[in-house]
Amino acid sequence: AQTVTQSQPEMSVQEAETVTLSCTYDTSESNYYLFWYKQPPSRQMILVIRQEAYKQQNATENRFSVNFQKAAKSFSLKISDSQLGDTAMYFCAFMGFYNQGGKLIFGQGTELSVKP
Amino acid sequence: DAMVIQNPRYQVTQFGKPVTLSCSQTLNHNVMYWYQQKSSQAPKLLFHYYDKDFNNEADTPDNFQSRRPNTSFCFLDIRSPGLGDAAMYLCATSLGAGANVLTFGAGSRLTVL
């Protein structure tokens, strides 16, 4: 069974600085998808970034980038130039390549606070 | 523009009193999911509909049921809520077979007294 582990329950960062959120996962599959989702307080969960395991190049979306280390089963999220609006719970998630009913397996989450 | 809308956003019920949570979507996605997110825990899939086909997770309690009368709507019924069912319930949608991006609603927070 797949598992996702986020070892940092809470983190804080000063506005405009860079922060890295850690995620490790366990799977026996060779092809899969990895995601970072953001859940602001009392608001809907939204996709931040997605990585296909068969792609070696790390995904990037504006200020958000990942460091995908397939052999180490590590998938960290780097937020550059942190903004107050980045304050949220961040979930790392795994999905098998063959979708398996769209089942996302989430980590426990990291609560990020961006301080002015 | 809200595309996956959940109602109510907050629901308070008494122990054992049935409750229904609703989810509607304007995306015309054919797959709809219900996730349970307990406090400080990871969201966990309860079940999903692929079109009209219902798919239950093996460890979802019988107390939880779902209905999907049409493409746009999906309901979560909790027949006899217990204190352990207090959680945020998240509805999500996706399009097509092999779709890997889910669109989530804002959630319905259930309190059981």
CSV table of all heavy atoms in Angstrom, one decimal, chain A residues 33 35 37 39 42-47 50 52 89 91 95-109, chain B residues 2 4 9-10 31 33 35 37 40-45 48 57 88 90 96-106:
chain,number,residue,atom,x,y,z
A,33,TYR,N,1.7,9.7,-10.1
A,33,TYR,CA,1.6,11.2,-10.1
A,33,TYR,C,1.8,11.6,-8.6
A,33,TYR,O,1.3,11.0,-7.7
A,33,TYR,CB,0.3,11.7,-10.5
A,33,TYR,CG,-0.1,11.3,-12.0
A,33,TYR,CD1,-0.9,10.3,-12.2
A,33,TYR,CD2,0.4,12.0,-13.0
A,33,TYR,CE1,-1.2,9.9,-13.5
A,33,TYR,CE2,0.1,11.7,-14.3
A,33,TYR,CZ,-0.7,10.6,-14.6
A,33,TYR,OH,-1.0,10.3,-15.9
A,35,PHE,N,1.5,15.3,-6.2
A,35,PHE,CA,0.8,16.6,-6.1
A,35,PHE,C,1.2,17.3,-4.8
A,35,PHE,O,1.4,16.7,-3.8
A,35,PHE,CB,-0.7,16.4,-6.2
A,35,PHE,CG,-1.2,15.6,-7.3
A,35,PHE,CD1,-1.3,14.2,-7.2
A,35,PHE,CD2,-1.7,16.2,-8.5
A,35,PHE,CE1,-1.8,13.4,-8.2
A,35,PHE,CE2,-2.2,15.4,-9.5
A,35,PHE,CZ,-2.2,14.0,-9.4
A,37,TYR,N,-1.1,20.1,-2.8
A,37,TYR,CA,-2.4,20.9,-2.8
A,37,TYR,C,-2.3,21.9,-1.6
A,37,TYR,O,-1.7,21.6,-0.6
A,37,TYR,CB,-3.6,19.9,-2.5
A,37,TYR,CG,-4.1,19.2,-3.7
A,37,TYR,CD1,-3.6,18.0,-4.2
A,37,TYR,CD2,-5.2,19.8,-4.4
A,37,TYR,CE1,-4.1,17.4,-5.3
A,37,TYR,CE2,-5.7,19.2,-5.6
A,37,TYR,CZ,-5.2,18.0,-6.0
A,37,TYR,OH,-5.7,17.4,-7.1
A,39,GLN,N,-4.6,24.3,1.0
A,39,GLN,CA,-5.9,24.4,1.6
A,39,GLN,C,-5.9,25.6,2.5
A,39,GLN,O,-5.5,25.5,3.7
A,39,GLN,CB,-6.3,23.2,2.4
A,39,GLN,CG,-7.8,23.2,2.9
A,39,GLN,CD,-8.2,21.9,3.6
A,39,GLN,OE1,-7.4,21.3,4.3
A,39,GLN,NE2,-9.4,21.4,3.3
A,42,SER,N,-10.6,27.7,5.8
A,42,SER,CA,-12.0,27.8,5.5
A,42,SER,C,-12.3,28.0,3.9
A,42,SER,O,-13.3,28.5,3.5
A,42,SER,CB,-12.7,29.0,6.2
A,42,SER,OG,-12.6,28.8,7.6
A,43,ARG,N,-11.3,27.6,3.2
A,43,ARG,CA,-11.5,27.7,1.7
A,43,ARG,C,-11.1,26.3,1.1
A,43,ARG,O,-10.6,25.4,1.7
A,43,ARG,CB,-10.6,28.8,1.2
A,43,ARG,CG,-11.0,30.2,1.7
A,43,ARG,CD,-10.2,31.2,1.0
A,43,ARG,NE,-10.3,31.3,-0.4
A,43,ARG,CZ,-9.5,32.0,-1.2
A,43,ARG,NH1,-8.6,32.8,-0.7
A,43,ARG,NH2,-9.7,32.0,-2.5
A,44,GLN,N,-11.4,26.2,-0.2
A,44,GLN,CA,-11.3,24.9,-0.9
A,44,GLN,C,-9.9,24.6,-1.2
A,44,GLN,O,-9.0,25.5,-1.3
A,44,GLN,CB,-12.1,25.0,-2.2
A,44,GLN,CG,-11.5,25.9,-3.3
A,44,GLN,CD,-12.4,26.0,-4.4
A,44,GLN,OE1,-13.1,27.1,-4.5
A,44,GLN,NE2,-12.4,25.1,-5.3
A,45,MET,N,-9.6,23.3,-1.3
A,45,MET,CA,-8.3,22.8,-1.6
A,45,MET,C,-8.0,23.0,-3.1
A,45,MET,O,-8.9,22.7,-3.9
A,45,MET,CB,-8.2,21.3,-1.3
A,45,MET,CG,-6.8,20.8,-1.2
A,45,MET,SD,-6.7,19.1,-0.7
A,45,MET,CE,-7.6,19.0,0.8
A,46,ILE,N,-6.9,23.6,-3.4
A,46,ILE,CA,-6.6,23.8,-4.8
A,46,ILE,C,-5.2,23.2,-5.1
A,46,ILE,O,-4.3,23.1,-4.3
A,46,ILE,CB,-6.6,25.3,-5.1
A,46,ILE,CG1,-5.6,26.1,-4.2
A,46,ILE,CG2,-7.9,25.9,-5.0
A,46,ILE,CD1,-5.4,27.6,-4.6
A,47,LEU,N,-5.1,22.8,-6.4
A,47,LEU,CA,-3.8,22.2,-6.8
A,47,LEU,C,-2.7,23.3,-7.0
A,47,LEU,O,-2.9,24.4,-7.6
A,47,LEU,CB,-4.0,21.6,-8.2
A,47,LEU,CG,-2.8,20.9,-8.8
A,47,LEU,CD1,-2.4,19.7,-8.0
A,47,LEU,CD2,-3.1,20.5,-10.3
A,50,ARG,N,1.9,19.7,-9.9
A,50,ARG,CA,1.8,18.3,-10.2
A,50,ARG,C,3.1,17.8,-10.9
A,50,ARG,O,3.7,18.5,-11.7
A,50,ARG,CB,0.6,18.0,-11.1
A,50,ARG,CG,0.4,16.6,-11.6
A,50,ARG,CD,-0.7,16.5,-12.6
A,50,ARG,NE,-0.5,17.3,-13.8
A,50,ARG,CZ,-1.4,17.3,-14.8
A,50,ARG,NH1,-2.4,16.6,-14.8
A,50,ARG,NH2,-1.1,18.1,-15.8
A,52,GLU,N,4.6,14.3,-12.9
A,52,GLU,CA,4.5,12.9,-13.4
A,52,GLU,C,5.8,12.1,-13.1
A,52,GLU,O,6.9,12.7,-13.4
A,52,GLU,CB,4.2,12.9,-14.9
A,52,GLU,CG,2.9,13.4,-15.2
A,52,GLU,CD,2.9,14.9,-15.5
A,52,GLU,OE1,3.8,15.6,-15.1
A,52,GLU,OE2,1.9,15.4,-16.1
A,89,MET,N,-2.7,25.3,4.8
A,89,MET,CA,-2.2,23.9,5.0
A,89,MET,C,-1.8,23.4,3.6
A,89,MET,O,-2.6,23.5,2.7
A,89,MET,CB,-3.4,23.1,5.6
A,89,MET,CG,-3.0,21.6,5.9
A,89,MET,SD,-1.9,21.5,7.3
A,89,MET,CE,-3.1,21.5,8.6
A,91,PHE,N,-0.8,20.0,1.5
A,91,PHE,CA,-0.8,18.5,1.5
A,91,PHE,C,-0.1,18.0,0.3
A,91,PHE,O,-0.2,18.4,-0.8
A,91,PHE,CB,-2.3,18.0,1.4
A,91,PHE,CG,-3.1,18.2,2.6
A,91,PHE,CD1,-4.0,19.3,2.7
A,91,PHE,CD2,-3.0,17.4,3.7
A,91,PHE,CE1,-4.7,19.5,3.8
A,91,PHE,CE2,-3.8,17.5,4.8
A,91,PHE,CZ,-4.6,18.6,4.9
A,95,MET,N,-1.0,9.6,-6.4
A,95,MET,CA,-2.0,8.9,-7.2
A,95,MET,C,-1.3,7.9,-8.1
A,95,MET,O,-0.4,8.3,-8.8
A,95,MET,CB,-2.9,9.9,-8.0
A,95,MET,CG,-4.0,9.1,-8.7
A,95,MET,SD,-5.0,10.2,-9.8
A,95,MET,CE,-5.9,11.2,-8.6
A,96,GLY,N,-1.8,6.7,-8.1
A,96,GLY,CA,-1.3,5.7,-9.0
A,96,GLY,C,-1.5,6.1,-10.4
A,96,GLY,O,-2.5,6.7,-10.8
A,97,PHE,N,-0.7,5.6,-11.3
A,97,PHE,CA,-0.7,6.0,-12.7
A,97,PHE,C,-2.0,5.6,-13.4
A,97,PHE,O,-2.6,6.2,-14.2
A,97,PHE,CB,0.4,5.4,-13.5
A,97,PHE,CG,0.5,5.8,-14.9
A,97,PHE,CD1,1.0,7.1,-15.2
A,97,PHE,CD2,0.1,5.0,-15.9
A,97,PHE,CE1,1.1,7.5,-16.6
A,97,PHE,CE2,0.2,5.4,-17.3
A,97,PHE,CZ,0.7,6.6,-17.6
A,98,TYR,N,-2.5,4.4,-13.0
A,98,TYR,CA,-3.8,3.9,-13.5
A,98,TYR,C,-5.0,4.4,-12.7
A,98,TYR,O,-6.0,3.7,-12.8
A,98,TYR,CB,-3.7,2.4,-13.6
A,98,TYR,CG,-2.6,2.0,-14.6
A,98,TYR,CD1,-1.4,1.5,-14.1
A,98,TYR,CD2,-2.8,2.1,-16.0
A,98,TYR,CE1,-0.4,1.2,-15.0
A,98,TYR,CE2,-1.8,1.7,-16.9
A,98,TYR,CZ,-0.6,1.3,-16.4
A,98,TYR,OH,0.4,0.9,-17.3
A,99,ASN,N,-4.8,5.4,-12.0
A,99,ASN,CA,-5.9,6.2,-11.4
A,99,ASN,C,-6.5,5.5,-10.2
A,99,ASN,O,-6.7,6.1,-9.2
A,99,ASN,CB,-7.0,6.5,-12.4
A,99,ASN,CG,-7.8,7.7,-11.9
A,99,ASN,OD1,-7.4,8.4,-11.0
A,99,ASN,ND2,-8.9,8.0,-12.6
A,100,GLN,N,-6.7,4.2,-10.3
A,100,GLN,CA,-7.3,3.5,-9.1
A,100,GLN,C,-8.5,4.3,-8.5
A,100,GLN,O,-8.6,4.5,-7.3
A,100,GLN,CB,-6.2,3.3,-8.1
A,100,GLN,CG,-5.1,2.5,-8.6
A,100,GLN,CD,-3.9,2.4,-7.6
A,100,GLN,OE1,-4.0,3.0,-6.5
A,100,GLN,NE2,-2.9,1.6,-7.9
A,101,GLY,N,-9.4,4.7,-9.4
A,101,GLY,CA,-10.6,5.4,-9.0
A,101,GLY,C,-10.3,6.8,-8.5
A,101,GLY,O,-11.1,7.3,-7.7
A,102,GLY,N,-9.2,7.4,-9.0
A,102,GLY,CA,-9.0,8.8,-8.6
A,102,GLY,C,-8.6,8.9,-7.2
A,102,GLY,O,-8.7,10.0,-6.6
A,103,LYS,N,-8.1,7.8,-6.6
A,103,LYS,CA,-7.8,7.9,-5.2
A,103,LYS,C,-6.5,8.6,-4.9
A,103,LYS,O,-5.4,8.2,-5.3
A,103,LYS,CB,-7.7,6.4,-4.7
A,103,LYS,CG,-7.5,6.3,-3.2
A,103,LYS,CD,-7.5,4.9,-2.7
A,103,LYS,CE,-7.4,4.7,-1.2
A,103,LYS,NZ,-7.5,3.3,-0.8
A,104,LEU,N,-6.6,9.8,-4.3
A,104,LEU,CA,-5.5,10.5,-3.8
A,104,LEU,C,-5.1,10.0,-2.4
A,104,LEU,O,-6.0,10.0,-1.6
A,104,LEU,CB,-5.8,12.0,-3.8
A,104,LEU,CG,-5.7,12.8,-5.1
A,104,LEU,CD1,-6.2,14.2,-4.9
A,104,LEU,CD2,-4.2,12.9,-5.5
A,105,ILE,N,-3.9,9.7,-2.2
A,105,ILE,CA,-3.4,9.4,-0.9
A,105,ILE,C,-2.6,10.6,-0.4
A,105,ILE,O,-1.6,11.0,-0.9
A,105,ILE,CB,-2.6,8.1,-0.9
A,105,ILE,CG1,-3.4,7.0,-1.5
A,105,ILE,CG2,-2.0,7.8,0.4
A,105,ILE,CD1,-2.6,5.7,-1.8
A,106,PHE,N,-3.2,11.2,0.7
A,106,PHE,CA,-2.6,12.4,1.2
A,106,PHE,C,-1.7,12.2,2.4
A,106,PHE,O,-1.8,11.2,3.1
A,106,PHE,CB,-3.8,13.3,1.7
A,106,PHE,CG,-4.6,13.9,0.7
A,106,PHE,CD1,-5.8,13.3,0.2
A,106,PHE,CD2,-4.3,15.2,0.2
A,106,PHE,CE1,-6.6,13.9,-0.7
A,106,PHE,CE2,-5.1,15.8,-0.8
A,106,PHE,CZ,-6.2,15.1,-1.2
A,107,GLY,N,-0.7,13.1,2.5
A,107,GLY,CA,0.1,13.1,3.7
A,107,GLY,C,-0.7,13.9,4.8
A,107,GLY,O,-1.9,14.3,4.6
A,108,GLN,N,-0.1,14.0,6.0
A,108,GLN,CA,-0.8,14.6,7.1
A,108,GLN,C,-0.9,16.1,7.0
A,108,GLN,O,-1.7,16.7,7.7
A,108,GLN,CB,-0.1,14.3,8.4
A,108,GLN,CG,0.0,12.8,8.7
A,108,GLN,CD,-1.3,12.2,9.2
A,108,GLN,OE1,-2.2,11.9,8.4
A,108,GLN,NE2,-1.4,12.1,10.5
A,109,GLY,N,-0.2,16.7,6.1
A,109,GLY,CA,-0.3,18.2,5.9
A,109,GLY,C,0.8,18.9,6.7
A,109,GLY,O,1.3,18.5,7.8
B,2,ALA,N,-17.5,29.8,-8.3
B,2,ALA,CA,-17.4,28.5,-7.6
B,2,ALA,C,-17.8,27.4,-8.5
B,2,ALA,O,-18.9,27.5,-9.2
B,2,ALA,CB,-18.3,28.5,-6.4
B,4,VAL,N,-17.4,23.8,-7.8
B,4,VAL,CA,-17.8,22.7,-7.0
B,4,VAL,C,-18.4,23.3,-5.7
B,4,VAL,O,-17.6,23.9,-4.9
B,4,VAL,CB,-16.7,21.6,-6.7
B,4,VAL,CG1,-17.2,20.5,-5.8
B,4,VAL,CG2,-16.1,21.1,-8.0
B,9,ARG,N,-22.2,24.6,4.5
B,9,ARG,CA,-20.8,24.7,4.8
B,9,ARG,C,-20.5,24.2,6.3
B,9,ARG,O,-19.5,23.6,6.6
B,9,ARG,CB,-20.3,26.1,4.7
B,9,ARG,CG,-20.2,26.6,3.3
B,9,ARG,CD,-19.1,25.9,2.4
B,9,ARG,NE,-17.9,26.0,3.1
B,9,ARG,CZ,-17.0,27.0,3.1
B,9,ARG,NH1,-17.4,28.1,2.5
B,9,ARG,NH2,-15.9,26.9,3.8
B,10,TYR,N,-21.5,24.4,7.1
B,10,TYR,CA,-21.4,23.9,8.5
B,10,TYR,C,-22.7,23.3,8.9
B,10,TYR,O,-23.8,23.8,8.6
B,10,TYR,CB,-21.2,25.1,9.4
B,10,TYR,CG,-19.9,25.9,9.1
B,10,TYR,CD1,-20.0,27.0,8.2
B,10,TYR,CD2,-18.7,25.5,9.6
B,10,TYR,CE1,-18.8,27.7,7.9
B,10,TYR,CE2,-17.5,26.2,9.3
B,10,TYR,CZ,-17.6,27.3,8.5
B,10,TYR,OH,-16.4,28.0,8.2
B,31,VAL,N,-16.8,12.2,-12.9
B,31,VAL,CA,-16.4,11.5,-11.7
B,31,VAL,C,-16.5,12.4,-10.5
B,31,VAL,O,-16.1,13.6,-10.5
B,31,VAL,CB,-14.9,11.0,-11.7
B,31,VAL,CG1,-14.6,10.0,-10.6
B,31,VAL,CG2,-14.6,10.4,-13.1
B,33,TYR,N,-16.2,12.5,-6.1
B,33,TYR,CA,-15.6,11.9,-4.9
B,33,TYR,C,-16.1,12.5,-3.6
B,33,TYR,O,-16.4,13.7,-3.6
B,33,TYR,CB,-14.1,12.0,-4.9
B,33,TYR,CG,-13.4,11.7,-6.3
B,33,TYR,CD1,-13.4,12.7,-7.2
B,33,TYR,CD2,-12.8,10.5,-6.5
B,33,TYR,CE1,-12.7,12.4,-8.4
B,33,TYR,CE2,-12.2,10.2,-7.7
B,33,TYR,CZ,-12.1,11.2,-8.7
B,33,TYR,OH,-11.5,11.0,-9.9
B,35,TYR,N,-14.5,12.8,0.2
B,35,TYR,CA,-13.4,12.5,1.1
B,35,TYR,C,-13.8,13.0,2.5
B,35,TYR,O,-14.5,13.9,2.7
B,35,TYR,CB,-12.1,13.3,0.7
B,35,TYR,CG,-11.3,12.8,-0.4
B,35,TYR,CD1,-11.7,12.9,-1.7
B,35,TYR,CD2,-10.2,12.0,-0.2
B,35,TYR,CE1,-11.0,12.4,-2.8
B,35,TYR,CE2,-9.4,11.5,-1.2
B,35,TYR,CZ,-9.8,11.7,-2.5
B,35,TYR,OH,-9.1,11.2,-3.5
B,37,GLN,N,-12.2,14.3,6.1
B,37,GLN,CA,-11.0,14.9,6.7
B,37,GLN,C,-11.2,15.2,8.1
B,37,GLN,O,-11.8,16.2,8.5
B,37,GLN,CB,-10.6,16.2,5.9
B,37,GLN,CG,-9.2,16.8,6.4
B,37,GLN,CD,-8.9,18.0,5.6
B,37,GLN,OE1,-9.7,18.6,4.9
B,37,GLN,NE2,-7.7,18.5,5.8
B,40,SER,N,-6.7,17.5,12.0
B,40,SER,CA,-5.3,17.2,12.0
B,40,SER,C,-4.9,15.9,11.3
B,40,SER,O,-3.9,15.3,11.6
B,40,SER,CB,-4.7,17.2,13.4
B,40,SER,OG,-4.9,18.5,14.0
B,41,GLN,N,-5.8,15.4,10.4
B,41,GLN,CA,-5.5,14.2,9.7
B,41,GLN,C,-5.6,14.4,8.2
B,41,GLN,O,-6.1,15.4,7.7
B,41,GLN,CB,-6.5,13.1,10.1
B,41,GLN,CG,-6.4,12.7,11.6
B,41,GLN,CD,-7.3,11.5,11.9
B,41,GLN,OE1,-7.7,10.7,11.0
B,41,GLN,NE2,-7.6,11.3,13.1
B,42,ALA,N,-5.0,13.5,7.5
B,42,ALA,CA,-5.1,13.5,6.0
B,42,ALA,C,-6.5,13.2,5.5
B,42,ALA,O,-7.2,12.4,6.1
B,42,ALA,CB,-4.1,12.5,5.4
B,43,PRO,N,-6.9,13.9,4.5
B,43,PRO,CA,-8.2,13.5,3.8
B,43,PRO,C,-8.2,12.0,3.4
B,43,PRO,O,-7.2,11.5,2.9
B,43,PRO,CB,-8.3,14.4,2.6
B,43,PRO,CG,-7.5,15.6,3.0
B,43,PRO,CD,-6.3,15.0,3.8
B,44,LYS,N,-9.3,11.4,3.5
B,44,LYS,CA,-9.4,9.9,3.2
B,44,LYS,C,-10.6,9.7,2.3
B,44,LYS,O,-11.7,10.2,2.6
B,44,LYS,CB,-9.5,9.2,4.5
B,44,LYS,CG,-9.7,7.7,4.4
B,44,LYS,CD,-9.8,7.0,5.7
B,44,LYS,CE,-10.1,5.5,5.6
B,44,LYS,NZ,-11.4,5.3,5.0
B,45,LEU,N,-10.4,9.0,1.2
B,45,LEU,CA,-11.5,8.7,0.3
B,45,LEU,C,-12.5,7.8,0.9
B,45,LEU,O,-12.2,6.7,1.4
B,45,LEU,CB,-10.9,8.2,-1.0
B,45,LEU,CG,-11.9,7.9,-2.1
B,45,LEU,CD1,-12.6,9.2,-2.6
B,45,LEU,CD2,-11.3,7.1,-3.3
B,48,HIS,N,-16.5,7.0,-4.5
B,48,HIS,CA,-16.6,7.8,-5.7
B,48,HIS,C,-17.6,7.2,-6.7
B,48,HIS,O,-17.9,6.1,-6.7
B,48,HIS,CB,-15.2,8.1,-6.3
B,48,HIS,CG,-14.8,6.9,-7.2
B,48,HIS,ND1,-14.1,5.8,-6.6
B,48,HIS,CD2,-14.8,6.7,-8.5
B,48,HIS,CE1,-13.8,5.0,-7.6
B,48,HIS,NE2,-14.2,5.5,-8.8
B,57,GLU,N,-15.0,2.5,-1.0
B,57,GLU,CA,-13.7,2.0,-0.5
B,57,GLU,C,-14.0,0.9,0.5
B,57,GLU,O,-15.0,0.9,1.3
B,57,GLU,CB,-13.0,3.2,0.2
B,57,GLU,CG,-12.5,4.2,-0.7
B,57,GLU,CD,-11.4,3.7,-1.7
B,57,GLU,OE1,-10.4,3.2,-1.3
B,57,GLU,OE2,-11.7,3.7,-2.9
B,88,MET,N,-14.5,17.3,8.5
B,88,MET,CA,-14.8,18.1,7.3
B,88,MET,C,-15.0,17.0,6.1
B,88,MET,O,-14.2,16.1,6.0
B,88,MET,CB,-13.6,19.0,6.9
B,88,MET,CG,-13.7,19.7,5.6
B,88,MET,SD,-14.9,21.1,5.8
B,88,MET,CE,-13.8,22.3,6.5
B,90,LEU,N,-15.2,16.6,2.2
B,90,LEU,CA,-14.8,17.2,0.9
B,90,LEU,C,-15.4,16.5,-0.3
B,90,LEU,O,-15.2,15.3,-0.4
B,90,LEU,CB,-13.3,17.3,0.8
B,90,LEU,CG,-12.5,17.9,2.0
B,90,LEU,CD1,-11.0,17.7,1.8
B,90,LEU,CD2,-12.8,19.4,2.0
B,96,GLY,N,-13.1,12.3,-16.8
B,96,GLY,CA,-12.7,11.2,-17.7
B,96,GLY,C,-11.8,10.1,-17.0
B,96,GLY,O,-11.3,10.3,-15.9
B,97,ALA,N,-11.7,9.1,-17.7
B,97,ALA,CA,-10.8,8.0,-17.3
B,97,ALA,C,-9.4,8.4,-17.2
B,97,ALA,O,-8.9,9.0,-18.1
B,97,ALA,CB,-11.0,6.8,-18.2
B,98,GLY,N,-8.7,8.0,-16.2
B,98,GLY,CA,-7.3,8.4,-16.1
B,98,GLY,C,-7.1,9.8,-15.7
B,98,GLY,O,-5.9,10.2,-15.6
B,99,ALA,N,-8.1,10.6,-15.4
B,99,ALA,CA,-7.9,11.9,-15.0
B,99,ALA,C,-7.2,12.0,-13.7
B,99,ALA,O,-7.5,11.2,-12.8
B,99,ALA,CB,-9.2,12.7,-14.9
B,100,ASN,N,-6.3,12.9,-13.5
B,100,ASN,CA,-5.5,12.9,-12.3
B,100,ASN,C,-5.6,14.2,-11.5
B,100,ASN,O,-5.0,14.3,-10.5
B,100,ASN,CB,-4.0,12.5,-12.6
B,100,ASN,CG,-3.4,13.4,-13.6
B,100,ASN,OD1,-3.2,14.6,-13.3
B,100,ASN,ND2,-3.1,12.9,-14.7
B,101,VAL,N,-6.3,15.1,-12.1
B,101,VAL,CA,-6.4,16.4,-11.4
B,101,VAL,C,-7.9,16.5,-10.8
B,101,VAL,O,-8.8,16.4,-11.6
B,101,VAL,CB,-6.2,17.6,-12.3
B,101,VAL,CG1,-6.4,18.9,-11.6
B,101,VAL,CG2,-4.7,17.5,-12.8
B,102,LEU,N,-8.0,16.7,-9.5
B,102,LEU,CA,-9.3,16.8,-8.9
B,102,LEU,C,-9.5,18.3,-8.6
B,102,LEU,O,-8.6,19.0,-8.2
B,102,LEU,CB,-9.3,16.0,-7.6
B,102,LEU,CG,-9.7,14.5,-7.7
B,102,LEU,CD1,-8.7,13.7,-8.5
B,102,LEU,CD2,-9.8,13.9,-6.3
B,103,THR,N,-10.8,18.6,-8.7
B,103,THR,CA,-11.3,20.0,-8.3
B,103,THR,C,-12.1,19.8,-7.1
B,103,THR,O,-13.1,19.0,-7.1
B,103,THR,CB,-12.1,20.6,-9.4
B,103,THR,OG1,-11.3,20.7,-10.6
B,103,THR,CG2,-12.5,22.0,-9.0
B,104,PHE,N,-11.7,20.5,-6.0
B,104,PHE,CA,-12.4,20.3,-4.7
B,104,PHE,C,-13.4,21.4,-4.4
B,104,PHE,O,-13.2,22.6,-4.9
B,104,PHE,CB,-11.4,20.3,-3.6
B,104,PHE,CG,-10.6,19.0,-3.5
B,104,PHE,CD1,-9.5,18.8,-4.3
B,104,PHE,CD2,-11.0,18.0,-2.6
B,104,PHE,CE1,-8.7,17.6,-4.2
B,104,PHE,CE2,-10.3,16.9,-2.5
B,104,PHE,CZ,-9.1,16.7,-3.3
B,105,GLY,N,-14.4,21.1,-3.7
B,105,GLY,CA,-15.3,22.1,-3.1
B,105,GLY,C,-14.7,22.6,-1.8
B,105,GLY,O,-13.6,22.1,-1.3
B,106,ALA,N,-15.3,23.5,-1.2
B,106,ALA,CA,-14.8,24.2,0.1
B,106,ALA,C,-15.0,23.3,1.3
B,106,ALA,O,-14.5,23.6,2.4
B,106,ALA,CB,-15.4,25.5,0.3
